Amino acid sequence: MSVAESRIRTILNHLEEGIMATLLAIMTLLTFIQVVLRYVFNSGWVWSLEATTYSFAWLVLIGLSYGVRTKTHIAVDMLTKRLPLNIRHFVALLAVVVCLCYSCLMVYGSFDFVN
Protein backbone atom coordinates (compact mmCIF):
# COMPACT_ATOMS: atom_id res chain seq x y z
CA MET A 1 0.00 0.00 0.00
CA SER A 2 1.39 3.36 -0.99
CA VAL A 3 1.58 6.43 1.21
CA ALA A 4 -1.25 8.11 -0.72
CA GLU A 5 -3.53 5.08 -0.27
CA SER A 6 -2.71 4.99 3.42
CA ARG A 7 -3.58 8.68 3.80
CA ILE A 8 -6.84 8.25 1.92
CA ARG A 9 -7.76 5.27 4.10
CA THR A 10 -6.96 7.25 7.24
CA ILE A 11 -9.05 10.20 6.04
CA LEU A 12 -11.97 7.91 5.22
CA ASN A 13 -11.69 6.22 8.63
CA HIS A 14 -11.81 9.57 10.39
CA LEU A 15 -14.68 10.73 8.18
CA GLU A 16 -16.69 7.61 8.98
CA GLU A 17 -16.00 7.95 12.70
CA GLY A 18 -16.92 11.63 12.52
CA ILE A 19 -20.22 10.87 10.78
CA MET A 20 -21.09 8.27 13.42
CA ALA A 21 -20.23 10.65 16.26
CA THR A 22 -22.22 13.45 14.65
CA LEU A 23 -25.28 11.24 14.17
CA LEU A 24 -25.09 10.07 17.78
CA ALA A 25 -24.77 13.68 18.98
CA ILE A 26 -27.74 14.76 16.83
CA MET A 27 -29.87 11.95 18.21
CA THR A 28 -28.96 12.74 21.80
CA LEU A 29 -29.47 16.47 21.39
CA LEU A 30 -32.81 16.10 19.58
CA THR A 31 -34.11 13.69 22.21
CA PHE A 32 -33.00 15.95 25.06
CA ILE A 33 -34.55 19.05 23.48
CA GLN A 34 -37.76 17.15 22.74
CA VAL A 35 -38.06 16.00 26.38
CA VAL A 36 -37.47 19.53 27.67
CA LEU A 37 -39.97 21.01 25.21
CA ARG A 38 -42.60 18.41 26.02
CA TYR A 39 -42.38 18.37 29.81
CA VAL A 40 -41.36 21.96 30.55
CA PHE A 41 -43.09 23.95 27.81
CA ASN A 42 -45.87 21.47 26.95
CA SER A 43 -45.00 21.62 23.25
CA GLY A 44 -42.60 19.89 20.89
CA TRP A 45 -41.26 19.44 17.42
CA VAL A 46 -43.33 17.22 15.14
CA TRP A 47 -40.33 16.11 13.08
CA SER A 48 -38.03 15.24 15.99
CA LEU A 49 -38.97 11.57 16.28
CA GLU A 50 -38.54 10.96 12.56
CA ALA A 51 -35.20 12.74 12.50
CA THR A 52 -34.02 10.65 15.44
CA THR A 53 -35.25 7.45 13.80
CA TYR A 54 -33.52 8.20 10.50
CA SER A 55 -30.33 9.22 12.30
CA PHE A 56 -30.40 5.95 14.21
CA ALA A 57 -30.93 3.96 11.02
CA TRP A 58 -27.96 5.61 9.34
CA LEU A 59 -25.88 5.18 12.50
CA VAL A 60 -26.64 1.45 12.48
CA LEU A 61 -25.83 1.04 8.79
CA ILE A 62 -22.58 2.98 8.95
CA GLY A 63 -21.68 1.35 12.27
CA LEU A 64 -22.20 -2.12 10.80
CA SER A 65 -19.84 -1.46 7.93
CA TYR A 66 -17.33 0.15 10.29
CA GLY A 67 -17.50 -2.80 12.67
CA VAL A 68 -17.01 -5.36 9.92
CA ARG A 69 -14.15 -3.40 8.35
CA THR A 70 -12.30 -2.93 11.65
CA LYS A 71 -13.19 -6.47 12.83
CA THR A 72 -14.86 -5.15 15.98
CA HIS A 73 -18.32 -6.50 15.17
CA ILE A 74 -20.07 -8.81 17.58
CA ALA A 75 -19.59 -12.41 16.60
CA VAL A 76 -21.11 -15.37 18.37
CA ASP A 77 -18.61 -18.04 17.56
CA MET A 78 -18.38 -20.05 20.77
CA LEU A 79 -19.85 -23.09 19.05
CA THR A 80 -18.27 -22.73 15.63
CA LYS A 81 -14.73 -22.31 17.02
CA ARG A 82 -14.98 -25.86 18.38
CA LEU A 83 -15.94 -27.39 15.03
CA PRO A 84 -13.42 -28.86 12.58
CA LEU A 85 -12.24 -26.45 9.90
CA ASN A 86 -14.20 -27.96 6.97
CA ILE A 87 -17.46 -28.01 8.96
CA ARG A 88 -16.75 -24.46 10.17
CA HIS A 89 -16.51 -23.30 6.56
CA PHE A 90 -19.78 -25.08 5.73
CA VAL A 91 -21.54 -23.43 8.69
CA ALA A 92 -20.18 -20.02 7.62
CA LEU A 93 -21.43 -20.60 4.07
CA LEU A 94 -24.82 -21.69 5.40
CA ALA A 95 -25.01 -18.52 7.51
CA VAL A 96 -24.26 -16.40 4.44
CA VAL A 97 -26.97 -18.17 2.43
CA VAL A 98 -29.51 -17.70 5.24
CA CYS A 99 -28.59 -13.99 5.48
CA LEU A 100 -28.97 -13.58 1.71
CA CYS A 101 -32.36 -15.29 1.80
CA TYR A 102 -33.44 -13.00 4.63
CA SER A 103 -32.21 -9.96 2.68
CA CYS A 104 -34.14 -11.07 -0.40
CA LEU A 105 -37.28 -11.50 1.69
CA MET A 106 -36.80 -8.01 3.13
CA VAL A 107 -36.38 -6.51 -0.35
CA TYR A 108 -39.46 -8.35 -1.59
CA GLY A 109 -41.47 -7.25 1.43
CA SER A 110 -40.26 -3.68 1.00
CA PHE A 111 -41.39 -3.56 -2.62
CA ASP A 112 -44.70 -5.13 -1.65
CA PHE A 113 -45.11 -2.58 1.15
CA VAL A 114 -44.25 0.39 -1.04
CA ASN A 115 -46.52 -0.67 -3.89
Side-chain angles (χ1 to χ4, degrees), residues 60-74:
V60 167
L61 292 174
I62 295 170
L64 282 170
S65 68
Y66 179 79
V68 169
R69 188 174 41 79
T70 59
K71 296 182 180 163
T72 56
H73 61 288
I74 297 173

Side-chain angles (χ1 to χ4, degrees), residues 42-82:
N42 201 20
S43 68
W45 292 333
V46 176
W47 53 268
S48 178
L49 180 62
E50 282 192 56
T52 303
T53 303
Y54 287 128
S55 297
F56 181 71
W58 279 107
L59 180 66
V60 167
L61 292 174
I62 295 170
L64 282 170
S65 68
Y66 179 79
V68 169
R69 188 174 41 79
T70 59
K71 296 182 180 163
T72 56
H73 61 288
I74 297 173
V76 182
D77 57 357
M78 183 176 73
L79 178 68
T80 56
K81 288 266 187 186
R82 297 178 185 199

Side-chain angles (χ1 to χ4, degrees), residues 84-94:
L85 189 60
N86 56 352
I87 296 175
R88 192 181 317 163
H89 288 300
F90 175 75
V91 170
L93 182 63
L94 181 66

Side-chain angles (χ1 to χ4, degrees), residues 2-17:
S2 69
V3 175
E5 289 174 346
S6 177
R7 284 186 182 156
I8 290 172
R9 186 173 296 227
T10 303
I11 290 170
L12 289 177
N13 285 342
H14 289 305
L15 180 66
E16 191 173 34
E17 291 168 357

Side-chain angles (χ1 to χ4, degrees), residues 19-35 45 47-60:
I19 290 171
M20 288 188 304
T22 303
L23 287 171
L24 186 59
I26 288 170
M27 286 173 43
T28 305
L29 197 63
L30 275 176
T31 303
F32 175 75
I33 291 171
Q34 185 68 8
V35 168
W45 292 333
W47 53 268
S48 178
L49 180 62
E50 282 192 56
T52 303
T53 303
Y54 287 128
S55 297
F56 181 71
W58 279 107
L59 180 66
V60 167

